[in-house]
């Protein structure tokens, strides 16, 4: 289409100007006529190409059902709700994505593994961000000395790439040497208990790491 050509495939029909007529419920006529599996595939393709709003429109069309007699549509489809939240995350709307995940977990698909994981992470970080670390300090007094002594002073830093990158100065580190050693020790202990580090938590960019939200006795409350 960018070169001036188009065919009669589903995507070209969907992206053609004539297909943009809305039905009054936020769904275009072409979306209304497509089966669920086609909408889902096109939504996934749009996500891969960074067309997040278009992906979200396709996913929401699946949930709307629109009286499609040819196949059953499940409004509690956790994978679709997860994809909708991910589309917001892809646009940088972190809080909106978290809201979608929580609402989907509470109202539609409480057993979906991907959504449950997101809610678990949110609850873990939210708990500790609300200052619920007093008991941890009492139970880990030696390590807690570092936690309590952490400075709230913003370190000196350089701003690079038009405000997209920040580098702390050598004489003003973000973390002290003692803090770094402590976290390394906690991580190695956790990896030993788990019999290894995780290597498949991020599909697009696989990393060797540990999930902080599951390290509730050490890194999470400090973090």
């Amino acid at each position: 289409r960018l070169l001036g050509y188009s065919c009669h495939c589903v995507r070209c029909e969907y992206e053609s100007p004539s297909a943009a007529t809305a039905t009054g419920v936020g769904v275009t006529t072409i979306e209304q006529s497509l089966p669920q599996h086609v909408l889902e595939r096109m939504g996934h393709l749009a996500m891969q190409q960074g067309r997040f709003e278009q992906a979200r429109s396709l996913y929401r069309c699946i949930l709307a059902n629109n009286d499609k007699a040819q196949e059953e549509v499940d409004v509690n489809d956790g994978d679709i709700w997860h994809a909708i939240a991910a589309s917001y995350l892809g646009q940088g709307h972190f809080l909106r994505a978290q809201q979608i995940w929580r609402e989907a977990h509470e109202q539609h698909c409480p057993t979906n593994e991907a959504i449950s994981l997101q809610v678990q992470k949110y609850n873990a970080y939210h708990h500790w961000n609300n200052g619920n670390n007093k008991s941890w300090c009492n139970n880990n007094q030696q390590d807690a000395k570092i936690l309590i002594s952490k400075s709230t002073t913003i370190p000196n830093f350089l701003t690079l790439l038009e405000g997209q990158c920040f580098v702390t100065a050598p004489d003003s580190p973000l973390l002290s040497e003692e803090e770094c050693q402590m976290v390394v020790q906690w991580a190695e202990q956790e990896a030993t208990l788990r019999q290894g580090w995780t290597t498949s938590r991020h599909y697009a960019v696989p990393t060797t790491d540990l999930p902080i939200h599951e390290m509730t006795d050490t890194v999470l409350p400090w973090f």
Side-chain angles (χ1 to χ4, degrees), residues 152-204:
T152 58
T153 303
I154 298 177
N156 297 325
F157 60 90
L158 301 175
T159 303
L160 307 173
L161 301 177
E162 298 181 352
Q164 299 183 48
C165 179
F166 305 93
V167 180
T168 56
D171 60 345
S172 182
L174 185 63
L175 300 176
S176 68
E177 182 178 350
E178 291 79 9
E179 287 176 309
C180 292
Q181 291 176 345
M182 180 184 67
V183 174
V184 168
Q185 180 181 348
W186 282 339
E188 291 178 344
Q189 291 174 347
E190 183 73 15
T192 299
L193 292 174
R194 292 170 172 265
Q195 298 183 338
W197 297 66
T198 60
T199 57
S200 59
R201 292 200 307 124
H202 307 285
Y203 176 79

Side-chain angles (χ1 to χ4, degrees), residues 2-221:
L2 293 175
L3 298 176
Y5 298 97
S6 64
C7 65
H8 294 290
C9 71
V10 175
R11 180 177 176 183
C12 283
E13 291 290 337
Y14 173 74
E15 295 180 352
S16 66
S18 61
T21 304
T23 62
V25 291
V27 178
T28 64
T29 53
I30 186 67
E31 288 174 335
Q32 194 176 36
S33 66
L34 293 175
Q36 176 181 348
H37 72 277
V38 174
L39 290 169
E40 187 171 353
R41 289 177 182 176
M42 290 179 60
H44 293 344
L45 177 62
M47 284 286 288
Q48 294 171 9
Q49 297 178 340
R51 296 180 284 115
F52 299 113
E53 291 186 9
Q54 194 173 83
R56 192 156 56 242
S57 176
L58 290 160
Y59 292 141
R60 288 197 178 281
C61 184
I62 295 175
L63 298 176
N65 193 339
N66 296 309
D67 298 324
K68 294 180 182 176
Q70 68 269 32
E71 58 183 318
E72 182 179 354
V73 178
D74 183 8
V75 296
N76 297 323
D77 189 329
D79 292 339
I80 298 302
W81 281 108
H82 181 62
I84 290 174
S87 72
Y88 280 108
L89 193 64
Q91 291 180 298
H93 303 315
F94 177 80
L95 294 180
R96 179 58 174 152
Q98 295 296 328
Q99 180 184 12
I100 294 293
W101 277 318
R102 291 200 307 274
E103 291 178 353
H105 180 74
E106 295 171 357
Q107 302 174 20
H108 301 288
C109 37
T111 60
N112 181 270
E113 184 176 349
I115 291 178
S116 296
L117 176 60
Q118 294 298 329
V119 173
Q120 177 190 355
K121 290 195 292 186
Y122 172 83
N123 290 337
Y125 292 120
H126 183 70
H127 172 80
W128 290 107
N129 286 338
N130 277 326
N132 299 310
N133 57 8
K134 293 182 179 179
S135 61
W136 180 85
C137 290
N138 293 332
N139 295 330
N140 300 269
Q141 293 183 7
Q142 182 175 358
D143 291 337
K145 292 178 182 178
I146 299 178
L147 172 73
I148 297 171
S149 65
K150 284 197 305 184
S151 174
T152 58
T153 303
I154 298 177
N156 297 325
F157 60 90
L158 301 175
T159 303
L160 307 173
L161 301 177
E162 298 181 352
Q164 299 183 48
C165 179
F166 305 93
V167 180
T168 56
D171 60 345
S172 182
L174 185 63
L175 300 176
S176 68
E177 182 178 350
E178 291 79 9
E179 287 176 309
C180 292
Q181 291 176 345
M182 180 184 67
V183 174
V184 168
Q185 180 181 348
W186 282 339
E188 291 178 344
Q189 291 174 347
E190 183 73 15
T192 299
L193 292 174
R194 292 170 172 265
Q195 298 183 338
W197 297 66
T198 60
T199 57
S200 59
R201 292 200 307 124
H202 307 285
Y203 176 79
V205 282
T207 57
T208 299
D209 57 16
L210 294 168
I212 292 179
H213 64 276
E214 294 182 5
M215 301 172 67
T216 56
D217 294 329
T218 52
V219 179
L220 178 61

